[in-house]
């Protein structure tokens, strides 16, 4: 979960905010053409917000930090590992690597030694997976369960203290002491076995057998010790049986307080555990947590905390819960969460920021986080995050101190916060100089440094800095958006759209879709505007546009008034056209529109999930797949979607069983396709190819539309290629192309290449490039079928279209290495590593460092790569070899 914290706009006074009400009243033809609008009105319409100050840990050299963490993990004691994995999580969060973040969290949970750590990280994993209940149910139905998400039996996890034993009684006054003692509570007498009561604690032992006058008394008044007669009788029973079975909660609390006062540790521990077992609701936990903290009852406190954490994020809307979690001192935190206090407040502050980063509770949780920080890294994370929240709350002086403290601890990114505050206070030149100083102080500047400095300079200089920002980090969206908006204000329409399309070609960023939506509105291209807003709503149904002022769904309703309505048949034709031209965003939009009226919602949600996977939106894809399950029109259809969910979550065998169950009910295209796909991907037996072929042929015999049949023919061709049957493969690809499955050009190109016809392979890929709207992968594939110079040109185009594709960097680096240009080769890899934590890039750079004798550089990259994938065999071997080479 990421939270974007918007900064104070540096141009707030210069840019007119768009009034969404003007759109709410728009009618057909009311908005004038762009050509007739003044630059100032266009400027207001296509306003680009300043990039947010991100509340993340963003080290200048994340590779070095990951390597340090890995090295510490190798040597630290077991109790320190979970904290290091949490730090690793924070690094990956700053890089936006969601899968790696969750793997680090799971590692923290698996390496947890204490019950409190297991409780916190288990709850964190559950929070990260909220909304995936259907997946958990499916996995459970297959005989598996995700143990980290379930509640912990706190009482069994927290062992009884070995010191909590019966007191050895040594009578001082011997035979003079009566065997019984009567405790008076008001007018009622409770007669007890003196020795048994003395055995409850040292104070009772001293009172009844020591040098105190009570040791000679047969009657002792306990009226002023807040214990009732019934409570005292239950204590008497405990002294005899060591059991509190059947005691109601109110009396247990009374006995707990009494036991704590008289140091009856065994009695107190029994009360603690008994009360812990009774925590079943949030209200129970709220009422009992105060007692737990006040009476130092760790089992009860942990049980209450567990209930709060398993109800995240909802419980943070309960003021009583927030007060209990915020109003704590170090001793209280120790009772509640042991040594896992930093982890706890890291979780709570993240959840609270996702709810409302400006809220008081967010600030309070971050204050507690700072109090819990023990290491330099923990402090800089807490300082920076709290600084971001103070900035949002316009508490500028306090925010400035926090950013300064984070910077002093070594978090260079916190200079962004300082620069924003400097600008707000009227020190624009100071902000510019501050960023310039940072840029000149590092060996290799990062994109965000130039992006931030651009906010404090004008016109050409700003453009120049943003070009630098894109050069160093092409994944930053603000530079593209600023350039696109500037070009649109100059009425350079094609260049403006090309600029925003550059980033949308590899990163489906909502803010970029929103900007393009605004462009289309200004151009009165309502069909394209509708397409973009429907894509936005597919990704984020509750998205709000124009700085959160207007719901995207409301704008869609208004734009639709300007667009011709499509029939169901029109929609299917439009979907077919867009799917065939590899226009994934356009296809998403059409499906969104079809879902309004089409009865085949399960089928449409399934198609939606396929598109979202292609667009690298796995979470949205899984959400669509779950919706497909919910809207399946039949049992056999639902089983197929359940099978895909299981397959996509790594449960291939269970997915196969779902496909078989579906086939037993009805032979359908999707069931056979799923079974073939899962079998081909999971089986290591070469002989399974014939089974896959048979399954795909069965699929093709079943009714389906051409979109899916084209995919099946394409997959069948791939199996034939792997099988060496090139003629049959070519037939499959040609038949797929006949029904406009455009990606089949790539398979046919491979057939040509295997027939030693590189020219035909090159031409086939050229056809795909010409037809496909998203064609970075086609350029990359075509580069394999041409000479080195053309290969270089194609791969340069790949990097321009999709800078996240790593093969071009590796290829160029390898060519440079072959030409003995070692520094240039390493620099080529470093350029990509700066913004993408990729195993293969780190692996190759580690090998290059080893080759030139830079053992420390190789070791650093090995450790960072193993942070990305701890089980990569080749990386483990290289790490072992490099590690041994530095030993004396």
């Amino acid at each position: 979960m990421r939270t974007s914290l918007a900064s104070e706009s540096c141009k707030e006074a210069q840019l007119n905010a768009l009034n969404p009400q003007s759109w709410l009243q728009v009618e057909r033809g009311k908005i004038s053409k762009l050509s007739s609008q003044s630059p100032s009105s266009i400027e207001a319409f296509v306003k680009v917000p300043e990039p947010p100050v991100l509340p993340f840990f963003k080290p200048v050299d994340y590779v070095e930090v990951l390597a340090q963490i890995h090295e510490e993990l190798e040597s630290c004691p077991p109790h320190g590992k979970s904290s290091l994995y949490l730090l690793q999580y924070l690094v990956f969060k700053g890089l936006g690597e969601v899968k790696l973040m969750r793997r680090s969290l799971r590692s923290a949970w698996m390496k947890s030694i204490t019950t409190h750590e297991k409780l916190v990280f288990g709850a964190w994993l559950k929070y990260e997976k909220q909304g995936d209940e259907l997946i958990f149910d499916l996995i459970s139905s297959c005989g598996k369960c995700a143990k980290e998400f379930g509640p912990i039996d706190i009482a069994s996890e927290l062992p009884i203290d070995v010191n909590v034993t019966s007191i050895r009684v040594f009578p001082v006054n011997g035979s003079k002491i009566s065997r019984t003692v009567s405790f008076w509570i008001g007018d009622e007498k409770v007669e007890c076995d003196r020795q048994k009561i003395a055995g409850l604690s040292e104070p009772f032992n001293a009172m009844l057998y020591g040098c105190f006058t009570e040791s000679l008394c047969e009657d002792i008044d306990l009226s002023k010790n807040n214990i009732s007669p019934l409570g005292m009788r239950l204590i008497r029973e405990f002294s005899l049986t060591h059991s509190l079975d059947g005691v109601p909660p109110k009396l247990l609390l009374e006995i707990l307080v009494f036991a704590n006062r008289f140091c009856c540790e065994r009695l107190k521990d029994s009360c603690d555990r008994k009360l812990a077992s009774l925590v079943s609701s949030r209200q129970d936990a709220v009422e009992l947590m105060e007692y737990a903290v006040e009476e130092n009852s760790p089992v009860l406190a942990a049980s209450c905390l567990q209930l709060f954490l398993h109800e995240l994020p909802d419980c943070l809307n309960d003021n009583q819960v927030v007060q209990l979690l915020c109003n704590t001192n170090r001793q209280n935190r120790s009772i509640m969460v042991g040594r896992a206090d930093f982890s706890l407040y890291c979780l709570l502050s993240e959840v609270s920021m996702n709810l409302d980063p400006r809220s008081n509770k967010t600030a309070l949780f971050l204050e507690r986080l700072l109090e819990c920080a023990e290491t330099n890294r923990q402090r800089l994370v807490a300082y920076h995050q709290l600084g971001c929240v103070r900035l949002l709350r316009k508490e500028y002086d306090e925010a400035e101190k926090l950013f300064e403290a984070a910077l002093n601890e070594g978090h260079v990114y916190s200079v962004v916060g300082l620069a924003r505050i400097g600008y707000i206070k009227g020190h624009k030149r100071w902000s510019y100089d501050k960023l310039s100083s940072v840029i000149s102080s590092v060996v290799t500047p990062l994109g965000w440094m130039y992006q931030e400095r651009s906010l404090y300079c004008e016109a050409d200089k700003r453009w120049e800095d943003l070009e630098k920002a894109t050069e160093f980090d092409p994944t930053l969206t603000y530079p593209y958006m600023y350039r696109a908006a500037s070009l649109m204000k100059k009425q350079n329409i094609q260049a403006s759209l090309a600029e925003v399309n550059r980033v949308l070609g590899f990163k489906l960023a909502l803010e970029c879709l929103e900007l393009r939506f605004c462009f289309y509105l200004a151009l009165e291209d309502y069909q394209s505007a509708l397409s973009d807003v429907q894509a936005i709503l597919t990704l984020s149904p509750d998205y709000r546009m124009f700085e959160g002022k207007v719901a995207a769904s409301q704008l869609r309703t208004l734009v639709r008034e300007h667009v011709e309505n499509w029939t169901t048949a029109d929609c299917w034709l439009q979907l077919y056209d867009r799917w065939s031209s590899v226009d994934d965003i356009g296809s998403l939009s059409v499906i969104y529109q079809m879902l309004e009226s089409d009865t085949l919602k399960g089928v449409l949600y399934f198609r939606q999930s396929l598109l979202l996977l292609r667009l690298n939106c796995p979470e949205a894809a899984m959400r669509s797949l779950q919706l497909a399950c919910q809207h399946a029109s039949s049992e056999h259809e639902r089983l197929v979607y359940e099978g895909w969910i299981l397959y996509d979550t790594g449960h291939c065998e269970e997915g196969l069983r779902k496909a078989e169950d579906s086939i037993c009910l009805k032979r359908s295209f999707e069931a056979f396709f799923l079974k073939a796909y899962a079998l081909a991907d999971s089986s290591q037996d070469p002989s399974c190819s014939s089974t896959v072929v048979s399954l795909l042929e069965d699929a093709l015999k079943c009714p389906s539309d051409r979109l899916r049949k084209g995919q099946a023919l394409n997959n069948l061709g791939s199996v034939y290629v792997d099988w060496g049957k090139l003629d049959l493969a070519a037939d499959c690809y040609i038949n797929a192309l006949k029904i406009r499955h455009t990606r089949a050009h790539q398979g046919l190109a491979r057939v040509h290449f295997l027939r030693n016809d590189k020219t035909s392979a090159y031409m086939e890929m050229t056809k795909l490039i010409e037809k496909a709207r998203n064609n970075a992968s086609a350029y990359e594939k075509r580069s394999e079928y041409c000479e080195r110079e053309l290969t270089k040109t194609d791969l340069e185009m790949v990097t321009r279209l999709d800078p996240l594709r790593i093969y071009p960097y590796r290829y160029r680096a390898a060519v440079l290495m072959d030409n003995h240009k070692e520094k240039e080769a390493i620099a080529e890899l470093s350029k990509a590593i700066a913004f993408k934590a990729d195993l293969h890039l780190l692996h190759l750079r580690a090998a290059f460092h080893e080759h030139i004798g830079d053992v420390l550089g190789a070791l650093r990259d090995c450790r960072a790569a193993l942070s990305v994938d701890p089980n990569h065999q080749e990386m483990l071997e290289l790490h072992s070899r490099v590690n041994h080479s530095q030993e004396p």
Side-chain angles (χ1 to χ4, degrees), residues 205-462:
N205 187 31
M207 177 195 292
L208 300 176
Y209 284 112
C211 299
F212 294 94
T213 56
E214 286 87 350
S215 65
L216 300 175
C217 296
E218 294 185 10
D219 296 295
I220 299 174
D221 187 4
L222 286 182
S223 299
K224 296 181 180 181
N225 288 280
N226 295 321
I227 189 73
S228 67
L230 180 55
M232 195 62 213
R233 291 189 187 97
L234 291 169
I235 292 170
R236 178 185 63 191
E237 289 302 313
F238 180 84
S239 72
L240 299 171
T241 64
H242 303 299
S243 173
L244 291 171
D245 289 344
V247 179
K250 189 173 181 180
L251 280 169
L252 283 171
L253 287 171
E254 183 183 309
I255 295 168
L256 174 67
V257 174
F258 181 87
N260 202 31
R261 173 175 292 184
F262 284 92
C263 303
C264 305
E265 296 302 329
R266 187 166 184 174
L267 175 60
K268 177 187 169 185
D269 183 73
S270 295
C271 284
D272 190 7
R273 293 170 188 277
K274 197 71 178 174
L275 284 165
S277 69
L278 300 175
V279 178
S280 59
S281 69
R282 186 190 302 174
Q283 193 55 43
D284 288 342
V286 167
E287 292 172 359
L288 292 172
M289 178 64 94
E290 291 185 54
Y291 281 98
V293 171
E294 189 173 337
E295 303 301 331
N296 189 12
S297 302
V299 181
L300 177 57
S303 296
C304 296
L305 179 63
Q306 175 171 246
L307 191 139
F308 294 151
L309 296 184
H310 275 258
E311 289 192 3
L312 289 173
D314 292 344
C315 73
L316 292 194
N317 293 318
D318 186 325
N319 289 332
Q320 288 181 298
V321 174
V322 172
Q323 286 178 6
L324 284 170
L325 295 172
C326 287
N327 299 333
T328 60
N329 55 35
R330 186 174 295 277
Q331 182 180 349
N332 293 346
R333 291 195 294 269
S334 177
I335 296 167
M336 183 168 62
V337 72
R339 297 280 295 171
D341 51 354
F342 184 83
S343 303
L344 171 64
Y345 286 99
C346 220
L347 166 60
L348 293 174
S349 58
E350 178 170 313
V351 176
S352 189
M353 275 195 281
N354 290 337
L355 290 172
D356 181 3
R358 293 176 174 83
S359 68
N360 288 332
K361 64 189 169 199
T362 300
L364 286 170
F365 284 137
L366 285 168
E367 287 172 1
R368 298 294 86 76
L369 182 70
L370 187 55
E371 290 173 4
C372 298
E374 294 181 348
T375 68
N376 160 267
R377 293 164 177 160
Q378 290 178 346
R379 282 191 293 273
L380 67 84
V381 167
Y383 279 132
H384 178 73
Q385 289 187 339
L386 186 53
C388 289
V389 169
R390 297 293 186 205
L391 175 60
L392 273 180
R393 291 160 61 92
K394 299 185 180 182
E395 298 166 356
Y396 299 128
D397 291 340
E398 187 61 31
E400 187 173 26
K401 292 175 186 175
L402 290 161
F403 285 131
E404 193 71 55
L407 185 62
N408 291 337
E409 292 284 354
H411 192 237
V412 177
Y413 179 73
S414 294
V415 75
V416 173
L418 287 173
R420 297 289 174 96
I421 293 169
Y423 183 87
I424 290 166
K425 291 183 174 181
H427 308 306
K428 182 177 177 181
R429 182 67 192 183
W430 180 88
S431 297
Y432 180 88
D433 291 342
K434 193 75 173 174
L435 267 299
S436 298
S437 175
V438 169
I439 290 169
S440 63
S441 69
V442 296
V443 176
T444 305
L446 298 175
W448 64 259
M449 298 175 182
Y450 285 103
Q451 174 179 273
E452 186 64 24
R453 192 175 72 171
S454 75
L455 304 180
Y456 314 115
C457 48
E458 304 297 335
D460 293 344
K461 182 61 179 172
R462 186 172 196 175

